[in-house]
Amino acid sequence: LKSALKVQEGETIYDLAWLPSMTSADPASCCFFSTSRDNPVHVWDAFTGQCRGSYCAYTDAEELTAGYCIAFDDHAGSQQLYVGFNNCVRVFDLSRPGREHRIVPTFKRANRETTGQRGIISCIAFNPDKSGLYACGSYSRNVGLYAAPKGNLLYNLQGQRGGITQVLWSRDGNYLFSGGRKDREILCWDVRNTGDVLLSLPRIVSTNQRLQVCTRSVPHACSCRAHVDTPFVRRPEIAAWCVCVHANKGSVCVPDC
């Protein structure tokens, strides 16, 4: 493959994402965001490769701190940028690059008691139903479900063996998939009944790399609704499952398809 554009970040890239409203018919919307070690979140022009702006976060000692993941929320009408940090998520207004933002704590300590989701927020995904529900994965091996805009913790899901590297919603917004580093399982949760793991899909993950999973609709006689892919490490192969959603039974199965 030949790249159409190349931009240079200053350090190791943690995450990148396209602007969700991006369309080639509107050049102003053709941009993508990246976050890297010891750098702010940068906005890059998809045509020229020029940096359009930065979203900066600082510690209490006024030292620049880098985010670990990027996500977008537009359920309230105005697009906002969510960036994962250690024990918190910082929320920026997309229309105002700079350092102005609000902090949504994911972990709190008060009177020798701790509550919430501990650790670095390594991935964030918003429910496609536009309800404001979003999931945060942590390197501390748990997944938190939150309600925007206040960021109230609704559930803290446990069960992943490795630090979470990706959270992904099904297209109907009822199911959440999570995967971790050096973890040989992709876990599926039903957010309408979040007490137990609904489904476990095996895969090969032997490193700390972020191995990505994607879902797509598959027309099939058995009414498959999702197709989950993940690359095998050191193998030119793709693992794929047909995940069937039985609406009338409220269950999910993996048929031989």
Side-chain angles (χ1 to χ4, degrees):
L1 297 178
K2 185 177 180 181
S3 62
L5 178 71
K6 185 180 292 185
V7 299
Q8 186 66 47
E9 268 286 11
E11 267 289 355
T12 302
I13 296 174
Y14 292 142
D15 196 13
L16 58 87
W18 286 96
L19 183 70
S21 59
M22 180 268 183
T23 172
S24 297
D26 180 13
S29 70
C30 295
C31 61
F32 58 94
F33 294 67
S34 67
T35 180
S36 62
R37 186 172 63 185
D38 298 332
N39 281 277
V41 177
H42 289 137
V43 190
W44 303 96
D45 190 294
F47 289 118
T48 66
Q50 297 297 313
C51 182
R52 290 186 180 180
S54 301
Y55 298 84
C56 308
Y58 291 86
T59 65
D60 293 338
E62 285 297 308
E63 296 178 346
L64 181 68
T65 180
Y68 292 89
C69 60
I70 299 170
F72 301 93
D73 174 33
D74 61 355
H75 86 279
S78 62
Q79 287 191 333
Q80 294 182 314
L81 174 67
Y82 279 60
V83 185
F85 289 83
N86 186 31
N87 292 333
C88 73
V89 172
R90 299 179 187 243
V91 184
F92 296 84
D93 188 334
L94 279 180
S95 64
R96 302 183 66 179
R99 61 183 298 171
E100 184 176 341
H101 65 278
R102 62 185 176 90
I103 299 177
V104 179
T106 56
F107 180 75
K108 300 177 182 178
R109 182 183 288 107
N111 299 325
R112 298 183 180 180
E113 295 185 358
T114 59
T115 58
Q117 183 182 16
R118 181 194 295 268
I120 293 173
I121 301 303
S122 55
C123 48
I124 304 172
F126 276 84
N127 195 308
D129 66 2
K130 302 291 185 180
S131 63
L133 178 67
Y134 63 98
C136 290
S138 167
Y139 282 144
S140 296
R141 299 176 294 182
N142 52 35
V143 178
L145 296 183
Y146 297 85
K150 292 184 178 180
N152 297 326
L153 179 63
L154 305 179
Y155 298 100
N156 197 352
L157 307 179
Q158 308 280 346
Q160 208 82 50
R161 292 186 177 91
I164 311 298
T165 55
Q166 186 182 12
V167 286
L168 176 70
W169 293 94
S170 63
R171 299 205 173 188
D172 60 7
N174 292 330
Y175 302 96
L176 178 68
F177 296 91
S178 63
R181 55 187 180 184
K182 291 188 177 180
D183 192 329
R184 294 175 176 266
E185 291 181 310
I186 298 171
L187 301 184
C188 177
W189 313 82
D190 186 342
V191 297
R192 300 166 298 180
N193 183 17
T194 54
D196 300 313
V197 175
L198 183 65
L199 185 67
S200 175
L201 303 173
R203 66 170 177 173
I204 297 176
V205 180
S206 58
T207 72
N208 288 327
Q209 292 175 299
R210 286 177 180 256
L211 298 189
Q212 294 295 296
V213 178
C214 66
T215 62
R216 60 185 176 87
S217 299
V218 180
H220 197 281
C222 65
S223 300
C224 293
R225 303 295 177 83
H227 184 83
V228 184
D229 300 337
T230 179
F232 282 3
V233 178
R234 298 191 183 95
R235 297 186 183 182
E237 301 174 1
I238 295 292
W241 298 270
C242 294
V243 181
C244 293
V245 180
H246 299 283
N248 57 336
K249 297 180 180 180
S251 62
V252 175
C253 68
V254 182
D256 184 15
C257 57

